[in-house]
Amino acid sequence: FRAGRCTDLRYITLMPTRIGRKDTVFLCAEDTGRRLTHANQQIAPSGGSWFGKGIAHPSGLFKPALAGYGAHRVYYRSRACTDSMVVVVRPGTGIQNDTAVCISSAAFRLKAPLSGGFFVGPGITNAVQGLFNPAIARSGNHRIIYTSRYGCRDTVMLRVDTVPALRWDAAPTQTCLRDTGFVLRAAPAGGTYSGGNGLSGNVFNPRRAGSGKHVLQYRLQQGACLATLPLDVEVLDTLRAGIRSDRDSLCPDETALLTASASGGDRFSYRYAWNGGAPGTAVQSYQSPNGSTVVRLRVSDGCSDPDSTSLPLHVFERYYFTSQVSRDTCYGQPGFAELGITLNEPFRVTWHTVPPTDARRLQAPAGIRYRATVRNLLSGCMRDTAVTIPAYRNLRAAFSVFPQSPECLNNI
């Protein structure tokens, strides 16, 4: 500064703001961040601040996650002067998230959208394709490292779960058809049961399921592994009772041979109860009562729901006799016997004489008992009776011979 003959001086030092190392910085999208410092970028003068897309802090912290994929120019300002550089964020690897697989699963390819990278880690059977085999890796947690073609690295954690070993602790394999519930128990606990209409939760009802073969199943999910345990259950056929008779109609006092039959259920354990009585044999002799009746049968096997049936038996009307005979007469003299029958159906009376006599009224010598058979011409039922034609007692004469020695009869 000059004023007149006087002069004063002030010195001003000019220092440029610059980034000495402007080589493009390449970062991976997976990087957590990069500090732009004097040591790595040779910035001058120090004490300035950074700004631009991706700058998380003015001190120079650059975060790829804030910037995103692509090339980004960032700026350094100090003392009102600014310089810049380019930071390139390379694309993310995009590999799959951490996951769990079952050891029984087939080998599969790990997700990697960009080509040119490779995988390294337990169970990797093809590094370029990213083929992972759970059986080779075995159970446990496995860290798989992926390196992209840009050199960016990312990791994925794969958990390989084992298949649980299932077993039945309580389960029927054959049962009768009855309205009851079998509680199924499989281990380890915590799974679900399935198998059709007969199953409610873990209770199996044979009647609701119906006869035949049923496949029940226990399913347990442990981690990524689903284990199934089948159970074949046979429900025997419905127990059925039947009655056969050697005749469907009986004459009074006749006996029918009844035979019980059964099917389904446990065929080795059939028990037969006739007319509400105690269990008996399958074959019964049944004498007709005084009128028509119904025979009832209950069949059980100690397992199935019992079954009952009935058989109507028709018993023809019982008829009775009255008789009218002639008055007492001498033995052997003609007399008669006539039968009266309480029957409103056609019938025939046969007297057992020689030859037989077919008539209600029999003319025959008195003092003798005569047997007759009455036959119902509609039902075929026959009934016997006997009638005596009354007579006085037969006279008996007794003679004696005198003298008893074989002498000539000259002394008379």
Side-chain angles (χ1 to χ4, degrees), residues 397-411:
F399 297 93
S400 60
V401 178
F402 183 85
Q404 296 182 352
S405 58
E407 297 177 357
C408 296
L409 299 178
N410 53 9
N411 54 355

Side-chain angles (χ1 to χ4, degrees), residues 243-245 247-248 258 293-297 309-313:
I243 305 176
R244 298 190 307 272
S245 175
R247 60 191 71 188
D248 57 5
L258 304 179
T293 187
V294 175
V295 178
R296 291 176 171 82
L297 173 68
T309 188
S310 60
L311 177 69
L313 288 178

Side-chain angles (χ1 to χ4, degrees), residues 309-379:
T309 188
S310 60
L311 177 69
L313 288 178
H314 176 71
V315 179
F316 292 106
E317 178 185 359
R318 181 186 293 274
Y319 48 90
Y320 300 91
F321 304 110
T322 61
S323 61
Q324 182 180 359
V325 294
S326 57
R327 294 182 178 180
D328 290 349
T329 185
C330 294
Y331 183 88
Q333 294 299 310
F336 72 89
E338 184 174 345
L339 288 179
I341 303 168
T342 59
L343 186 62
N344 296 322
E345 297 174 349
F347 60 89
R348 183 177 64 198
V349 179
T350 299
W351 295 92
H352 295 268
T353 57
V354 180
T357 302
D358 292 330
R360 290 180 61 182
R361 186 181 181 98
L362 173 66
Q363 301 286 345
I368 300 174
R369 186 173 182 83
Y370 296 93
R371 189 168 64 90
T373 298
V374 178
R375 181 184 181 90
N376 186 325
L377 298 181
L378 294 182
S379 66

Side-chain angles (χ1 to χ4, degrees), residues 58-88:
S59 63
L61 178 60
F62 180 89
K63 288 191 173 183
L66 293 177
Y69 165 66
H72 308 283
R73 183 169 291 278
V74 295
Y75 301 88
Y76 178 72
R77 176 178 292 173
S78 179
R79 299 180 183 180
C81 295
T82 302
D83 199 359
S84 65
M85 64 176 290
V86 175
V87 178
V88 174

Side-chain angles (χ1 to χ4, degrees), residues 247-262:
R247 60 191 71 188
D248 57 5
S249 298
L250 297 176
C251 296
D253 300 325
E254 276 189 336
T255 299
L257 188 65
L258 304 179
T259 303
S261 63

Side-chain angles (χ1 to χ4, degrees), residues 228-246:
T228 60
L229 181 64
L231 175 67
D232 294 330
V233 179
E234 181 184 9
V235 178
L236 299 178
D237 289 340
T238 305
L239 182 61
R240 299 294 186 191
I243 305 176
R244 298 190 307 272
S245 175
D246 62 342

Side-chain angles (χ1 to χ4, degrees), residues 105-171:
S105 299
F108 63 95
R109 296 182 63 174
L110 300 178
K111 176 186 174 183
L114 296 178
S115 61
F118 61 91
F119 290 88
V120 175
I124 296 298
T125 57
N126 188 311
V128 175
Q129 294 182 356
L131 194 63
F132 178 79
N133 191 321
I136 294 178
R138 299 190 177 184
S139 62
N141 295 314
H142 305 288
R143 184 171 181 262
I144 308 298
I145 300 174
Y146 174 73
T147 303
S148 72
R149 66 170 181 254
Y150 301 111
C152 295
R153 287 189 174 188
D154 199 0
T155 61
V156 58
M157 294 300 298
L158 299 179
R159 190 187 76 225
V160 178
D161 296 327
T162 57
V163 180
L166 306 182
R167 72 178 187 275
W168 289 107
D169 286 342

